[in-house]
Amino acid sequence: EAGVAQSPRYKIIEKRQSVAFWCNPISGHATLYWYQQILGQGPKLLIQFQNNGVVDDSQLPKDRFSAERLKGVDSTLKIQPAKLEDSAVYLCASSLNNEAFFGQGTRLTVV
Amino acid sequence: GIQVEQSPPDLILQEGANSTLRCNFSDSVNNLQWFHQNPWGQLINLFYIPSGTKQNGRLSATTVATERYSLLYISSSQTTDSGVYFCAVDFDMRFGAGTRLTVKP
């Protein structure tokens, strides 16, 4: 069974630029999560989807971050404009029956 | 929201030693998972364990939901066990800060 796919693996951008990350979950997994993990900390939930509906986006900085999950499968997370403090690893996970599996993440560096 | 606390924050072991990692949570939960983040950053699902006890090789986990804690046991540790161990609780998977384990040869 294929795992959770994320791209790109690495991205370097200047502050105030925009960036987008893509996630393809495990086939059949209805729940999809985006997390932000700053170096030395635990992952912080940004947004959770159930199929193509948002379950929880309370920690998503909505003035600059947006996410969508069209057709309840793939998802994109966008940052516009980026700030220096957005430098982190962005992790996508999907789950079925409450057991979650993570992709390898996208390491974002904002300079 | 639910608060998740993990202890100890850091743990250094000699290869072959046993260890116990703890996860406390502030309210009742319907879901609890343990993950291992390897040195390359990949999060690996170890256990889905909202209650009871499970074992997988040298690793086992116990969750006592009524007392709001879970334990992860690692026996006969190996250098490949090094990394950060996280617990995550409930349907929205709130993570603790993790326990960083270093196993020395």
Side-chain angles (χ1 to χ4, degrees):
Chain A
E1 166 179 277
V4 177
Q6 289 189 246
S7 67
R9 288 293 312 279
Y10 305 92
K11 190 75 176 178
I12 301 174
I13 63 172
E14 295 183 348
K15 58 184 179 184
R16 292 187 289 274
Q17 285 188 322
S18 63
V19 63
F21 313 127
W22 173 82
C23 174
N24 179 238
I26 294 172
S27 177
H29 283 197
T31 306
L32 185 147
Y33 309 82
W34 282 102
Y35 286 86
Q36 179 193 61
Q37 187 175 23
I38 292 172
L39 188 64
Q41 300 182 14
K44 173 185 141 185
L45 179 69
L46 293 175
I47 189 166
Q48 178 186 357
F49 292 95
Q50 181 75 12
N51 296 309
N52 60 349
V54 175
V55 175
D56 184 352
D57 63 357
S58 57
Q59 298 189 95
L60 186 73
K62 298 181 186 64
D63 57 333
R64 298 184 302 105
F65 286 64
S66 64
E68 60 182 8
R69 191 182 183 197
L70 299 176
K71 300 180 181 179
V73 182
D74 293 4
S75 178
T76 56
L77 176 69
K78 296 179 181 178
I79 308 175
Q80 181 178 10
K83 293 185 175 181
L84 296 176
E85 59 261 36
D86 298 332
S87 294
V89 176
Y90 290 85
L91 295 161
C92 178
S94 69
S95 74
L96 182 67
N97 299 326
N98 297 320
E99 196 164 357
F101 299 88
F102 279 81
Q104 291 186 295
T106 296
R107 183 176 298 278
L108 173 68
T109 303
V110 182
V111 298
Chain B
I2 292 176
Q3 303 301 309
V4 183
E5 293 184 358
Q6 291 188 243
S7 60
D10 293 280
L11 188 57
I12 300 174
L13 300 175
Q14 214 52 46
E15 198 167 28
N18 303 328
S19 62
T20 301
L21 283 58
R22 187 176 181 104
C23 172
N24 291 334
F25 38 95
S26 59
D27 204 346
S28 58
V29 297
N30 297 309
N31 179 14
L32 189 144
Q33 295 178 76
W34 282 97
F35 294 91
H36 174 220
Q37 189 164 43
N38 64 25
W40 296 270
Q42 177 70 49
L43 276 159
I44 308 296
N45 188 321
L46 297 176
F47 293 104
Y48 167 67
I49 186 163
S51 63
T53 298
K54 288 186 177 179
Q55 180 158 7
N56 185 3
R58 296 181 297 103
L59 273 60
S60 63
T62 295
T63 296
V64 184
T66 53
E67 297 189 20
R68 301 178 185 171
Y69 72 89
S70 182
L71 302 174
L72 178 69
Y73 305 96
I74 304 174
S75 64
S76 304
S77 58
Q78 301 175 358
T79 56
T80 52
D81 295 331
S82 295
V84 184
Y85 289 81
F86 291 103
C87 65
V89 303
D90 237 355
F91 183 59
D92 57 355
M93 285 216 306
R94 303 283 171 156
F95 277 73
T99 292
R100 180 173 298 278
L101 174 65
T102 303
V103 181
K104 296 189 172 183

